[in-house]
Amino acid sequence: MKDEGTRGFLTSVFQLSRGFFIVGGIALTFLMMLTVTDVLLRILGRPIVGIFELVAFSGAIAVGFSVPLTSWVRGHIYVDFLVLKFSPPGQKTFHLITRALAFALFFLIGWNLFKMGTDLWKSGEVSATLQMPFFPIVYAVGAGCWVQCLVLVADVVKIMRGRYE
């Protein structure tokens, strides 16, 4: 019974990370299409108004939403030559400590992004050209950080169960 709950938690975290990744991929595709369209329109002397803001917002979503799944599949740079020199219990301890530190980092980043988003919302701050509010993007990236926290908790579960490779 306990294993089913763990499996359900891991599946839920994976699906949530995957959903964020898909949204990030859509944002990246939008960013690329927007950039190509702007380049072509600039040749005709008709650039897209607010392109820099749209690219920045899309880039923030693309990066912020891709981190959790990238971490889940360990698609980031991972240098393990030092860790492999540790004994298996040492490796387990190392992984647990690094996950705890990363959890603290991403939790604090997410927390501060939500605080910043609230400040931007209350102040009514918007982008210069398109007058788009900043706070939804800041909240979204903060949410991506907290999903990353869930991925790190899932890593701890896998490490403790001996299923972390």
Side-chain angles (χ1 to χ4, degrees):
M1 188 66 134
K2 189 176 181 182
D3 196 41
E4 290 178 25
T6 302
R7 189 177 12 253
F9 170 71
L10 294 176
T11 300
S12 297
V13 171
F14 173 75
Q15 292 297 336
L16 182 61
S17 299
R18 188 168 167 258
F20 268 64
F21 191 77
I22 289 168
V23 173
I26 291 168
L28 182 61
T29 303
F30 173 74
L31 185 151
M32 292 185 306
M33 290 174 25
L34 193 63
T35 302
V36 169
T37 303
D38 185 56
V39 168
L40 294 175
L41 290 175
R42 281 181 189 273
I43 292 170
L44 302 173
R46 306 289 257 166
I48 298 174
V49 175
I51 184 74
F52 300 112
E53 296 166 5
L54 293 171
V55 166
F57 288 163
S58 299
I61 296 297
V63 172
F65 279 34
S66 66
V67 171
L69 188 66
T70 302
S71 180
W72 182 277
V73 300
R74 288 191 282 295
H76 52 286
I77 295 174
Y78 182 70
V79 182
D80 60 350
F81 67 90
L82 177 66
V83 178
L84 291 176
K85 295 187 185 290
F86 296 158
S87 65
Q91 290 178 12
K92 184 176 182 178
T93 302
F94 178 82
H95 288 306
L96 288 172
I97 290 170
T98 57
R99 294 318 173 272
L101 291 172
F103 179 90
L105 175 68
F106 279 98
F107 182 82
L108 290 172
I109 293 170
W111 177 267
N112 282 297
L113 284 170
F114 268 82
K115 283 177 41 181
M116 180 184 201
T118 301
D119 290 344
L120 291 169
W121 180 25
K122 287 179 180 177
S123 70
E125 191 163 342
V126 294
S127 63
T129 306
L130 297 175
Q131 300 295 298
M132 291 176 61
F134 287 110
F135 75 90
I137 303 301
V138 176
Y139 280 150
V141 175
C145 289
W146 283 349
V147 172
Q148 173 63 15
C149 287
L150 290 174
V151 169
L152 293 165
V153 170
D155 277 354
V156 168
V157 169
K158 291 186 276 186
I159 291 166
M160 295 306 291
R161 293 187 161 265
R163 296 188 179 157
Y164 185 82
E165 300 162 4

